mmCIF file of all heavy atoms in Angstrom:
data_model
loop_
_atom_site.group_PDB
_atom_site.id
_atom_site.type_symbol
_atom_site.label_atom_id
_atom_site.label_comp_id
_atom_site.label_asym_id
_atom_site.label_seq_id
_atom_site.Cartn_x
_atom_site.Cartn_y
_atom_site.Cartn_z
ATOM 1 N N LEU A 253 -33.777 -14.118 14.951
ATOM 2 C CA LEU A 253 -33.831 -13.211 13.899
ATOM 3 C C LEU A 253 -35.301 -12.838 13.636
ATOM 4 O O LEU A 253 -35.591 -11.657 13.390
ATOM 5 C CB LEU A 253 -33.322 -13.827 12.572
ATOM 6 C CG LEU A 253 -31.915 -13.610 12.083
ATOM 7 C CD1 LEU A 253 -31.586 -14.262 10.871
ATOM 8 C CD2 LEU A 253 -31.750 -12.088 12.013
ATOM 9 N N MET A 254 -36.168 -13.742 13.865
ATOM 10 C CA MET A 254 -37.600 -13.459 13.652
ATOM 11 C C MET A 254 -38.037 -12.438 14.876
ATOM 12 O O MET A 254 -38.829 -11.554 14.429
ATOM 13 C CB MET A 254 -38.483 -14.708 13.716
ATOM 14 C CG MET A 254 -38.502 -15.390 12.444
ATOM 15 S SD MET A 254 -39.425 -16.903 12.617
ATOM 16 C CE MET A 254 -38.124 -18.088 12.718
ATOM 17 N N ALA A 255 -37.559 -12.691 15.924
ATOM 18 C CA ALA A 255 -37.918 -11.801 17.044
ATOM 19 C C ALA A 255 -37.385 -10.373 16.794
ATOM 20 O O ALA A 255 -38.065 -9.410 17.215
ATOM 21 C CB ALA A 255 -37.416 -12.329 18.408
ATOM 22 N N ALA A 256 -36.312 -10.325 16.130
ATOM 23 C CA ALA A 256 -35.774 -8.964 15.812
ATOM 24 C C ALA A 256 -36.281 -8.265 14.674
ATOM 25 O O ALA A 256 -36.416 -7.121 14.606
ATOM 26 C CB ALA A 256 -34.242 -9.115 15.740
ATOM 27 N N THR A 257 -36.650 -9.092 13.619
ATOM 28 C CA THR A 257 -37.061 -8.494 12.374
ATOM 29 C C THR A 257 -38.603 -8.594 12.029
ATOM 30 O O THR A 257 -39.042 -8.027 11.178
ATOM 31 C CB THR A 257 -36.273 -8.992 11.126
ATOM 32 O OG1 THR A 257 -36.552 -10.484 11.045
ATOM 33 C CG2 THR A 257 -34.777 -8.765 11.398
ATOM 34 N N TYR A 258 -39.240 -9.583 12.697
ATOM 35 C CA TYR A 258 -40.600 -9.999 12.321
ATOM 36 C C TYR A 258 -40.793 -10.496 10.960
ATOM 37 O O TYR A 258 -41.876 -10.488 10.439
ATOM 38 C CB TYR A 258 -41.609 -8.868 12.599
ATOM 39 C CG TYR A 258 -41.515 -8.310 14.001
ATOM 40 C CD1 TYR A 258 -41.213 -6.959 14.245
ATOM 41 C CD2 TYR A 258 -41.762 -9.128 15.098
ATOM 42 C CE1 TYR A 258 -41.066 -6.507 15.565
ATOM 43 C CE2 TYR A 258 -41.685 -8.740 16.413
ATOM 44 C CZ TYR A 258 -41.330 -7.320 16.616
ATOM 45 O OH TYR A 258 -41.255 -6.901 17.921
ATOM 46 N N ARG A 259 -39.668 -11.001 10.305
ATOM 47 C CA ARG A 259 -39.792 -11.579 8.947
ATOM 48 C C ARG A 259 -40.013 -13.076 9.032
ATOM 49 O O ARG A 259 -39.202 -13.831 8.614
ATOM 50 C CB ARG A 259 -38.565 -11.246 8.125
ATOM 51 C CG ARG A 259 -38.245 -9.722 7.970
ATOM 52 C CD ARG A 259 -38.450 -9.308 6.503
ATOM 53 N NE ARG A 259 -39.781 -9.327 6.183
ATOM 54 C CZ ARG A 259 -40.763 -8.435 6.267
ATOM 55 N NH1 ARG A 259 -40.333 -7.244 6.820
ATOM 56 N NH2 ARG A 259 -41.979 -8.595 5.972
ATOM 57 N N THR A 260 -41.074 -13.464 9.626
ATOM 58 C CA THR A 260 -41.335 -14.861 9.935
ATOM 59 C C THR A 260 -41.198 -15.742 8.823
ATOM 60 O O THR A 260 -40.463 -16.852 8.890
ATOM 61 C CB THR A 260 -42.736 -15.018 10.575
ATOM 62 O OG1 THR A 260 -42.963 -13.916 11.429
ATOM 63 C CG2 THR A 260 -42.822 -16.321 11.414
ATOM 64 N N PHE A 261 -41.917 -15.545 7.776
ATOM 65 C CA PHE A 261 -42.085 -16.585 6.773
ATOM 66 C C PHE A 261 -40.800 -16.675 5.896
ATOM 67 O O PHE A 261 -40.386 -17.802 5.529
ATOM 68 C CB PHE A 261 -43.357 -16.269 5.868
ATOM 69 C CG PHE A 261 -44.549 -16.445 6.587
ATOM 70 C CD1 PHE A 261 -45.300 -15.391 7.154
ATOM 71 C CD2 PHE A 261 -45.128 -17.776 6.741
ATOM 72 C CE1 PHE A 261 -46.342 -15.622 7.810
ATOM 73 C CE2 PHE A 261 -46.303 -17.900 7.436
ATOM 74 C CZ PHE A 261 -46.889 -16.837 8.020
ATOM 75 N N GLU A 262 -40.147 -15.509 5.564
ATOM 76 C CA GLU A 262 -38.897 -15.595 4.792
ATOM 77 C C GLU A 262 -37.887 -16.457 5.585
ATOM 78 O O GLU A 262 -37.241 -17.342 5.004
ATOM 79 C CB GLU A 262 -38.286 -14.223 4.629
ATOM 80 C CG GLU A 262 -39.126 -13.352 3.651
ATOM 81 C CD GLU A 262 -40.220 -12.580 4.397
ATOM 82 O OE1 GLU A 262 -40.515 -12.920 5.509
ATOM 83 O OE2 GLU A 262 -40.573 -11.500 3.915
ATOM 84 N N ILE A 263 -37.801 -16.195 6.928
ATOM 85 C CA ILE A 263 -36.799 -16.844 7.682
ATOM 86 C C ILE A 263 -37.034 -18.270 7.935
ATOM 87 O O ILE A 263 -36.134 -19.103 7.701
ATOM 88 C CB ILE A 263 -36.528 -16.119 9.084
ATOM 89 C CG1 ILE A 263 -35.966 -14.721 8.774
ATOM 90 C CG2 ILE A 263 -35.627 -16.877 9.949
ATOM 91 C CD1 ILE A 263 -35.927 -13.784 9.977
ATOM 92 N N TRP A 264 -38.298 -18.734 8.153
ATOM 93 C CA TRP A 264 -38.612 -20.072 8.306
ATOM 94 C C TRP A 264 -38.318 -20.792 6.981
ATOM 95 O O TRP A 264 -37.865 -21.942 7.014
ATOM 96 C CB TRP A 264 -40.109 -20.326 8.701
ATOM 97 C CG TRP A 264 -40.412 -20.377 10.150
ATOM 98 C CD1 TRP A 264 -41.362 -19.662 10.824
ATOM 99 C CD2 TRP A 264 -39.716 -21.021 11.181
ATOM 100 N NE1 TRP A 264 -41.354 -19.959 12.138
ATOM 101 C CE2 TRP A 264 -40.292 -20.748 12.449
ATOM 102 C CE3 TRP A 264 -38.546 -21.847 11.174
ATOM 103 C CZ2 TRP A 264 -39.936 -21.232 13.620
ATOM 104 C CZ3 TRP A 264 -38.022 -22.397 12.409
ATOM 105 C CH2 TRP A 264 -38.807 -22.119 13.617
ATOM 106 N N THR A 265 -38.642 -20.120 5.866
ATOM 107 C CA THR A 265 -38.431 -20.778 4.543
ATOM 108 C C THR A 265 -36.888 -21.012 4.346
ATOM 109 O O THR A 265 -36.545 -22.165 3.942
ATOM 110 C CB THR A 265 -38.837 -19.841 3.378
ATOM 111 O OG1 THR A 265 -40.132 -19.355 3.721
ATOM 112 C CG2 THR A 265 -38.884 -20.567 2.118
ATOM 113 N N LEU A 266 -36.061 -20.054 4.721
ATOM 114 C CA LEU A 266 -34.610 -20.146 4.608
ATOM 115 C C LEU A 266 -34.157 -21.372 5.528
ATOM 116 O O LEU A 266 -33.354 -22.158 5.135
ATOM 117 C CB LEU A 266 -33.944 -18.924 5.061
ATOM 118 C CG LEU A 266 -33.585 -17.935 3.913
ATOM 119 C CD1 LEU A 266 -32.839 -16.802 4.536
ATOM 120 C CD2 LEU A 266 -32.780 -18.676 2.834
#
Side-chain angles (χ1 to χ4, degrees):
Chain A
L253 261 183
M254 276 177 258
T257 61
Y258 302 122
R259 302 248 66 90
T260 320
F261 291 97
E262 291 91 337
I263 291 170
W264 272 134
T265 313
L266 268 184

